[in-house]
Amino acid sequence: MRLMPVLGAAAALVAAAPALAQAKGTATASSPGGIVSVEVSTDGDGRALYAVSRNGKPVIAPSRLGFLFTDVAKIDRRLEITGTETRDFDDTWTQPWGEWTSIRNHYRELKVHLRETTALARVFSVTFRIYDDGVGFRYEFPQQPNMAKTNIAEELTEFAFAQDGTAWWKPAFLWNREEYLYNKTPLSAVSNADTPVTIKLADGTHVALHEAALVDFSGMAVSRTEGTTLRAALHPGAGRPKVEKTGAWNTPWRTLIIADNAPGIYHSHLMLNLNEPNKLGDMSWFKPGKFAGVWWNMIKGEWTWARGPKHGATNENVKRYIDFAAANGIPQVLVEGWNVGWDGDWFGNGNDMDFAQPTEDFDAKMLAAYAKKKGVRLIGHHETGGAASHYEQQFDKAFKFAADHGYMVVKTGYVTDAGQIERVDPDGTKYREWHQGQWMSNHFIRVAEAAAKYKIAFDSHEPIKGTGLQRTYPNWVAREGMRGMEYNAWPGKNPPEHEANLVFTRMLEGPMDFTPGVLSLKGSDDSNILSTIAKQLALYVVIYSPVQMVADTPENYAKYPGPMKFIRDVPTDWSETRVLNGEIGDFATIARKQRGGEDWYLGAVGDEEARSVSFKLDFLSPGAKYVAEIYRDGDDADYRTDKRHSIVIEQRRVSSADEMSLRLAPGGGAAVRFRRIK
Ligand code: NOJ
Ligand code: CA
């Protein structure tokens, strides 16, 4: 860690910086490059307000801070600023895996101390970390006589946007958790939204509102109060307040990424930087990579998770998938429905699930040996059906079983409606928790710690939202948390703009297990997926995850040897990432450099309209030669017709001095490998 020399090593929190000309009761500070500024003040009623501007122009107008409690008077008026501290921080750290190897964390911190002027005289601070591309802030309450225990009824933090704009958001507090399509509305028409909410303000400035380091707290949704003002709306607790705390406590970071355009939003590292460093130590045991899966046939309804004549996880099927993986250099195979517990109605009812007890037709020992011989590892699946306490009770045996059979990754799932997670307290009392509540935020930390003991990484479906915790717990390698490919198996498919939405919304949370690569473009009952085949390839680059599924069946892949070559080649771990262009919900082009290699890969996705995307190849090493292996939509490709499989695969010599233009068909995309040659 390198602190700015003026401050000295031990002086982590020091010195009111002279740059802060303070009107009485006002604190201000700006980011290292002077781009983003924060001002904290109190009004005539003693309400504490913060405001954020960028290049001198307001982004967040003065907005309230405060809390409601279930048992004592709220904190929001009769406050005074009693002091401020600032410090500068500049450090570069390394990710064990990710979209970038190296991450710079460069901010100015402003800590504002506040005190109530009432008899309660409660004190707290609000700490702002101000970056050139946004700001994160959190409340910090020290231990104090009048707050031995804290029971939060609601957080009163407001985000009063200074202008209207267009917002991309998904509804909060509805039954299907995070799995809704994005709404695109005026900011002034948002209702209840889960974060991230991404907004293009009227002047073109892009802002993403989210939170970082969601630990021991309830997830923050937002509700619009009036005009363009959103206010925090915490997820409920079950049989207790939304958030319960003892002694000193703080909130997660409330984050605003601010940039000129959509690619600028994606390039921010604020989310990762606001999380604590790796707590798990050596992660060299986790190797990013692709996985095949005994899965798509279940999702399509042709096989079952439960035992019976259509059971998917049979020895024969699993061996066939292992053979397929080995033949294609795919290091892992997911198997679902391999364990006892699926036979009844498992949806929302996982109390029969046993993650150390295979079914009779899944010979775990034999399959582990078979996989090992072929250089493949299995991925165990732990579907909890929302019975999270039941899962916790079998953590040790479940992760031991996985480790004993050579697994490196497990996929977890919490399939039940929102607000229906089963928590069982030590006295046997049952409660129904929210996927995004405080108890679940702690549950996931318990999963990370329990799995890490056995060197197991996990990929959680129906999870709590991503808030950059993969920095602190790098075995939490991916999650779902939005509508993935599975929706393309079912009626009501993802529309062509879905992935161009995801890039600038869901993907700000971190890796997504989207499960790309359904080259057959077929869901259940022979239904058509609303995509071209080239777009399926593009998804391997555009939608980031260190564990990336090769989701279709071996039989289907055998029909498409040309496109399959790209899936074989594309890695899942990157040293560098550049979003070359993009507009939310319209298109996005992303280039990434293979970690530990010299090749670059590029993916471009569009929406329902045909368009061309053009970009410079100046990300390639100057002077070096490359062969661009291009997989693009055929001239007649169209997701609405029987030409959705039309693809052109061609090669071209290129260098960093060149430009490239790719035509995307309706529902289309393109993928390119830039292979460096001598
Ligand atoms: C929903 C998950 O998203 C999917 O991947 C999984 O196969 C099913 N639940 C069953 O666990
Ligand atoms: Ca799901």
Side-chain angles (χ1 to χ4, degrees):
M1 176 174 98
R2 183 163 67 84
L3 287 167
M4 294 296 275
V6 282
L7 298 177
L13 288 165
V14 283
L20 312 178
Q22 315 270 318
K24 184 165 165 19
T26 304
T28 62
S30 297
S31 61
I35 296 170
V36 174
S37 301
V38 169
E39 178 171 307
V40 181
S41 59
T42 50
D43 69 8
D45 290 331
R47 287 202 166 92
L49 306 165
Y50 78 97
V52 180
S53 57
R54 182 170 186 266
N55 294 324
K57 207 171 165 192
V59 174
I60 301 291
S63 296
R64 283 171 65 184
L65 298 163
F67 289 93
L68 297 176
F69 303 103
T70 60
D71 49 356
V72 290
K74 64 181 180 173
I75 285 184
D76 85 326
R77 34 166 132 192
R78 291 195 267 170
L79 292 165
E80 61 178 9
I81 296 175
T82 57
T84 62
E85 296 164 61
T86 62
R87 64 165 181 154
D88 291 325
F89 188 89
D90 191 1
D91 178 40
T92 298
W93 56 282
T94 301
Q95 297 203 90
W97 48 265
E99 296 174 86
W100 293 270
T101 303
S102 192
I103 304 269
R104 185 176 182 193
N105 188 8
H106 190 196
Y107 61 82
R108 172 162 290 175
E109 184 173 283
L110 169 68
K111 191 174 179 121
V112 182
H113 298 289
L114 293 129
R115 182 175 59 209
E116 283 180 306
T117 57
T118 65
L120 281 174
R122 290 170 293 191
V123 296
F124 64 100
S125 324
V126 186
T127 295
F128 293 83
R129 291 199 178 155
I130 313 169
Y131 293 82
D132 284 335
D133 60 10
V135 59
F137 63 95
R138 71 176 184 192
Y139 298 81
E140 296 165 351
F141 282 77
Q143 187 142 10
Q144 51 194 301
N146 285 326
M147 286 187 92
K149 281 203 98 205
T150 306
N151 295 312
I152 298 175
E154 192 56 279
E155 180 176 327
L156 299 177
T157 308
E158 282 180 352
F159 306 90
F161 286 86
Q163 304 166 40
D164 205 347
T166 304
W168 286 261
W169 57 282
K170 57 184 174 179
F173 308 121
L174 301 186
W175 71 271
N176 204 19
R177 308 167 307 265
E178 307 296 289
E179 297 178 14
Y180 290 91
L181 291 173
Y182 275 90
N183 292 315
K184 177 185 178 187
T185 70
L187 171 58
S188 53
V190 171
S191 58
N192 298 312
D194 262 318
T195 70
V197 176
T198 305
I199 300 150
K200 182 177 182 180
L201 295 172
D203 72 358
T205 306
H206 284 60
V207 185
L209 168 60
H210 190 44
E211 63 181 310
L214 171 52
V215 178
D216 194 20
F217 215 81
S218 154
M220 181 187 76
V222 289
S223 294
R224 197 173 56 85
T225 53
E226 56 180 343
T228 54
T229 297
L230 307 179
R231 198 182 80 182
L234 299 176
H235 277 80
R240 53 180 176 190
K242 290 187 167 183
V243 178
E244 272 184 333
K245 291 282 185 179
T246 307
W249 60 279
N250 54 258
T251 61
W253 297 95
R254 279 63 186 97
T255 59
L256 293 152
I257 297 173
I258 313 172
D260 283 330
N261 48 37
I265 293 279
Y266 195 95
H267 285 144
S268 175
H269 297 146
L270 183 149
M271 191 61 49
L272 285 165
N273 279 329
L274 288 172
N275 276 271
E276 298 292 321
N278 176 2
K279 286 192 176 164
L280 302 183
D282 173 43
M283 279 301 298
S284 58
W285 55 266
F286 171 68
K287 313 264 181 251
K290 286 163 285 196
F291 63 103
V294 176
W295 181 73
W296 187 242
N297 279 343
M298 268 100 100
I299 289 291
K300 282 198 297 178
E302 290 165 22
W303 291 352
T304 60
W305 285 273
R307 285 178 280 207
K310 295 202 290 177
H311 188 210
T314 63
N315 292 330
E316 192 196 330
N317 285 340
V318 175
K319 278 166 93 174
R320 205 171 65 251
Y321 276 68
I322 292 172
D323 292 345
F324 162 74
N328 289 284
I330 297 168
Q332 299 182 91
V333 173
L334 163 74
V335 187
E336 299 203 358
W338 62 273
N339 64 301
V340 166
W342 291 88
D343 294 346
D345 178 12
W346 58 271
F347 184 105
N349 170 30
N351 281 310
D352 294 334
M353 292 291 184
D354 186 333
F355 305 124
Q357 183 58 59
T359 55
E360 308 72 40
D361 46 356
F362 179 90
D363 183 341
K365 227 172 143 188
M366 179 277 288
L367 290 168
Y370 187 82
K372 192 170 179 196
K373 196 175 76 198
K374 299 255 170 172
V376 170
R377 291 164 183 271
L378 296 184
I379 295 181
H381 182 224
H382 296 170
E383 174 54 66
T384 70
S389 288
H390 175 67
Y391 187 35
E392 293 193 14
Q393 269 149 33
Q394 52 176 318
F395 273 168
D396 269 306
K397 81 171 182 186
F399 295 125
K400 183 171 186 312
F401 181 93
D404 286 349
H405 291 82
Y407 307 173
M408 180 178 70
V409 177
V410 299
K411 169 175 168 180
T412 65
Y414 296 84
V415 171
T416 190
D417 287 352
Q420 295 301 302
I421 290 282
E422 189 180 80
R423 164 186 134 217
V424 187
D425 280 357
D427 68 0
T429 317
K430 291 186 176 172
Y431 292 94
R432 291 288 171 171
E433 290 281 1
W434 287 71
H435 287 72
Q436 310 289 327
Q438 182 184 15
W439 190 80
M440 282 302 274
S441 79
N442 291 322
H443 168 78
F444 280 105
I445 304 298
R446 292 191 286 269
V447 176
E449 287 171 347
K453 273 195 234 156
Y454 294 91
K455 291 197 170 35
I456 297 288
F458 67 108
D459 159 17
S460 38
H461 279 230
E462 301 78 47
I464 198 163
K465 65 176 147 179
T467 58
L469 278 165
Q470 69 271 25
R471 179 179 180 189
T472 314
Y473 300 98
N475 67 335
W476 195 350
V477 293
R479 74 186 80 202
E480 187 189 45
M482 223 302 164
R483 288 166 60 115
M485 183 67 77
E486 62 186 8
Y487 281 82
N488 291 334
W490 308 326
K493 300 191 180 331
N494 295 329
E497 66 166 20
H498 186 54
E499 295 86 355
N501 273 328
L502 288 184
V503 171
F504 303 110
T505 52
R506 162 65 186 82
M507 296 316 297
L508 305 175
E509 296 179 33
M512 177 173 181
D513 186 22
F514 184 81
T515 75
V518 178
L519 299 189
S520 59
L521 302 174
K522 288 288 184 190
S524 57
D525 302 321
D526 212 35
S527 58
N528 291 317
I529 293 178
L530 311 181
S531 162
T532 66
I533 193 169
K535 185 177 185 183
Q536 291 297 310
L537 303 182
L539 296 177
Y540 284 91
V541 183
V542 169
I543 305 291
Y544 169 66
S545 175
V547 286
Q548 194 72 283
M549 193 165 194
V550 181
D552 211 334
T553 64
E555 302 74 52
N556 283 338
Y557 284 120
K559 296 178 200 155
Y560 305 101
M564 186 65 196
K565 166 100 172 50
F566 184 82
I567 297 182
R568 266 204 304 272
D569 292 344
V570 67
T572 69
D573 197 22
W574 312 101
S575 59
E576 178 62 36
T577 289
R578 311 253 179 101
V579 182
L580 304 182
N581 54 47
E583 291 284 351
I584 309 168
D586 295 340
F587 63 96
T589 306
I590 303 187
R592 304 189 194 262
K593 189 177 186 195
Q594 175 170 22
R595 216 184 258 215
E598 286 302 320
D599 294 355
W600 282 77
Y601 288 78
L602 178 142
V605 294
D607 60 4
E608 67 289 345
E609 282 174 31
R611 59 163 51 76
S612 285
V613 287
S614 303
F615 42 87
K616 294 194 171 121
L617 302 186
D618 54 4
F619 50 88
L620 299 174
S621 294
K625 291 184 194 139
Y626 297 82
V627 174
E629 300 175 358
I630 302 169
Y631 301 74
R632 61 175 176 86
D633 289 325
D635 291 342
D636 55 352
D638 190 322
Y639 79 100
R640 293 164 299 193
T641 70
D642 62 2
K643 298 294 181 203
R644 56 183 71 78
H645 280 101
S646 169
I647 188 168
V648 174
I649 303 175
E650 60 189 4
Q651 300 201 344
R652 202 186 302 163
R653 287 198 166 220
V654 296
S655 77
S656 65
D658 292 328
E659 292 193 17
M660 187 175 268
S661 177
L662 294 167
R663 186 189 158 276
L664 310 181
V672 184
R673 175 185 184 185
F674 295 94
R675 188 162 50 78
R676 191 163 164 173
I677 51 168
K678 291 262 152 40

